[in-house]
Amino acid sequence: MKKELILDATKIAWHKERIEQWAKGERIAPITIDMSLTRACNYGCSFCYARLQENDRFDITREVVDNFLDDCTEVEVKAISLVSDGESTLSPHFEHMVIRGSQLGISMATATHCYNLRKEALKRVLPHLTYLRVNISAGEPARYAQIMGVREKWFHQVCQNIKDMVEIKKNNNLDVTIGMQMVLMPQDADQVVPLAKLGKELRPDYLVIKHTSDSEDGALGVDYSKYAEIEYLLKEAETYSDDDYEVAVKWSKISSDGNRDYQRCYAPPFQIQMSGSGLVAPCGMLFNEKYKKFHIGNITQTRFKDILQSDRYWEVMNYLASPNFNAQTMCGSLCLQHKPNEFLDALQKGEIELKKPTDEKPQHINFI
């Protein structure tokens, strides 16, 4: 029987030992690191948060990659996802990063627009990935070009790349999970059902439909009240699920109106983000230069293990978890760490107990 795939919750409860260390005030290593190998991207997506994340750029070289992976192994980081604020497949070190990280025992994953990943490259990296998620926010060529900021013919190449990865997975009996993701702006709701249908044709393991994150000042102009008006389309999309293809809507965030029910931010020590510039920060929403007071270090200049053990790292983490910080007023909407934050906030308030789940471990346990 296939293990459960959790797409709208957190898996942090399966890491009880590290939570206990954190609760004692120990300087823990992250369970998951979300990062990019570059700030560059050859797409121009209308919903892209990376345009709000500009910071001083430095090149992540092969030597930096190797030092970083060695440090992650030493401090017991369990998973690295190449997601963050750039298109990591544009880096000449992408394949090396995935393969070497996997060989060192780190769970590796990536999210990509997938235009650059052709069949031969897929054959090399898929055996070393826990999951590969394709960011594709339209199901029709013309609308894909409009929403993703590229030429229509790129849509057809991406579809072919997805077909190839599904075939490679099947022919080689690989454990990798192949997903598609729609970052949904309410005004693009006409693409929800076409994309669900496209996924049913291409046969990845899942399509997830998620909200669009916005900055605290609403720079992307997301009107969260509009999601309620397209609920019927999201429910229709879910009907295209079958035994081997799941259409999953992130209802907990889409139906939240962009609001949080907690104020302190506890999750970054468990799941930090790093920019494609090498910048280490608590989360991607704080990459921009205007948030420099939250910037901790840069792996192109300082070894990651030294950054992790620095007083600066823990000053920032402790500030976010203090009464001086209010995630409801000082953060953008519904960040990467939102679900772990909900769990840790409830734990700190005594609303739940810390105990190891009795359920069977879900897939991708190290990506919290």
Side-chain angles (χ1 to χ4, degrees), residues 33-36 38-39 49-57 83-86 272-297 336-337:
I33 295 177
D34 286 81
M35 64 180 292
S36 182
T38 178
R39 282 272 299 143
Y49 198 92
R51 72 179 83 162
L52 309 178
Q53 297 174 303
E54 192 59 55
N55 57 79
D56 290 341
R57 299 195 182 197
V83 183
S84 203
D85 60 344
I272 62 164
Q273 286 185 275
M274 292 168 46
S275 172
S277 67
L279 171 69
V280 178
C283 69
M285 289 184 171
L286 299 175
F287 285 166
N288 192 283
E289 280 298 297
K290 67 181 180 180
Y291 301 114
K292 207 170 184 76
K293 70 176 184 178
F294 297 104
H295 294 177
I296 300 166
L336 175 78
Q337 295 101 329

Side-chain angles (χ1 to χ4, degrees), residues 22 48-49 72 98 124 178 190 232 249 270 332 353 367:
W22 168 77
C48 183
Y49 198 92
C72 285
V98 169
R124 291 190 291 269
I178 297 169
D190 63 295
Y232 72 100
V249 177
F270 299 91
E353 292 181 26
F367 298 91

